[in-house]
Amino acid sequence: MDALWLALQESGFGAFVRNSVVLYPAANVLHVVGVISFFGLVATMDLALLGAVGETPAKQVIGRLRPFAVVLLLLIATTGSVLFTAEAVAIAANPVFQLKIALLVLALANVVVNEWVLRSRGDGASLARLTAFMSLLAWLGVAALGRLIAYV
Amino acid sequence: MRPTLAAAVALPLHFLPAQAHHGWGSYDAATPITITATIDQVTIGNPHGDLMLIHSGEMWHVTLAPLSRMNARGATTDIVKQGAAITVHGYPKRDGTKEMRAEWLEIDGKRYQLR
């Protein structure tokens, strides 16, 4: 893997990211703004499942918001990849980054479980509420660990 | 060809041990130091620039500002370049590693404030 990260970092694109006055700061800003927007949608969906935001059925809330959340997640992943490329070797070796990716995988697996529960048992199932709660914790954790990468 | 060449030139700096940067708390702001030397290696780029200089027989790693700020302060690649005589004022690592974050640079009598 190290060879891959080194190749990525030392690629023409890696050099371009490091030498760009606009791209790196723009990716940084869009990454953070993307995370805030994404979590806003995630929290709304999860709180709907937990019964904390009124009468609209959680399934309906999720049906409306999830497509936007997916688009934002793609934006976050894209801009995050730009930031990663600038110093891929060091970031890949960073324990906080590794923990963040592990938690990200868990958060995504939780989405799959959540979707399965919604389809098979409906949005009132206690397992649906559990996945909503896990989702809130996991995504907040991913965001917090992301911010910590630069300090380790 | 040009990106490859730039990457080859930039390569040595990425193998430096001191990659855990930012966290200003790891630098001792209470005991600033000033070093005058010749620039041994330098990269100005994102997320921040780095330069290497030899002082009292030891290699120092100096952490610079992000690219956009370096440019805004006039500390561009044609001024902060290999072989240039430089004075750096900044804060050394608390753990004793030969690394500092620069508060200002002085080249050819002109001071570049990086904070």
Side-chain angles (χ1 to χ4, degrees):
Chain A
M1 281 300 254
D2 283 357
L4 175 67
W5 303 139
L6 183 63
L8 176 68
Q9 176 178 301
E10 301 308 328
S11 67
F13 180 65
F16 179 75
V17 172
R18 281 188 296 279
N19 296 323
S20 164
V21 175
V22 175
L23 180 60
Y24 190 90
N28 213 341
V29 169
L30 284 175
H31 194 65
V32 173
V33 170
V35 168
I36 293 167
S37 313
F38 174 75
F39 187 75
L41 296 182
V42 165
T44 307
M45 291 186 279
D46 289 339
L47 290 173
L49 277 173
L50 291 167
V53 289
E55 300 305 312
T56 314
K59 252 187 166 165
Q60 205 175 321
V61 173
I62 292 169
R64 281 186 191 165
L65 299 187
R66 190 171 270 169
F68 295 101
V70 168
V71 170
L72 285 168
L73 192 58
L74 290 175
L75 171 76
I76 297 166
T78 308
T79 52
S81 302
V82 170
L83 301 176
F84 177 82
T85 301
E87 37 179 7
V89 175
I91 295 179
N94 185 307
V96 172
F97 176 77
Q98 292 168 356
L99 196 57
K100 171 187 169 174
I101 296 301
L103 191 56
L104 175 64
V105 170
L106 277 180
L108 290 172
N110 187 61
V111 174
V112 174
V113 174
N114 171 269
E115 181 59 23
W116 172 76
V117 172
L118 291 185
R119 282 177 194 216
S120 61
R121 303 190 194 177
D123 55 14
S126 57
L127 191 55
R129 286 200 293 278
L130 180 66
T131 55
F133 184 69
M134 294 298 285
S135 167
L136 287 171
L137 286 185
W139 289 115
L140 278 178
V142 170
L145 289 172
R147 191 69 281 256
L148 257 181
I149 291 168
Y151 299 89
V152 171
Chain B
M1 244 348 250
R2 270 184 63 207
T4 320
L5 189 65
V9 172
L11 199 63
L13 276 178
H14 296 288
F15 292 104
L16 297 173
Q19 281 288 357
H21 28 220
H22 306 113
W24 283 165
S26 64
Y27 299 98
D28 187 359
T31 55
I33 55 172
T34 308
I35 292 175
T36 298
T38 303
I39 298 178
D40 192 67
Q41 287 179 64
V42 61
T43 39
I44 293 179
N46 294 307
H48 55 74
D50 300 273
L51 70 80
M52 305 298 295
L53 37 83
I54 295 167
H55 171 67
S56 302
E58 286 178 305
M59 183 70 91
W60 276 79
H61 173 199
V62 181
T63 297
L64 306 173
L67 174 63
S68 52
R69 191 191 298 162
M70 295 295 287
N71 286 346
R73 305 284 160 86
T76 52
T77 46
D78 46 334
I79 290 166
V80 187
K81 61 185 177 197
Q82 194 173 22
I86 189 171
T87 299
V88 183
H89 179 81
Y91 312 108
K93 274 276 207 190
R94 289 182 197 277
D95 65 8
T97 24
K98 302 296 174 206
E99 185 191 336
M100 65 190 281
R101 76 171 173 96
E103 174 74 28
W104 53 256
L105 313 174
E106 217 170 72
I107 296 172
D108 271 342
K110 189 170 185 321
R111 186 171 290 188
Y112 303 91
Q113 187 69 39
L114 300 188
R115 303 295 150 197

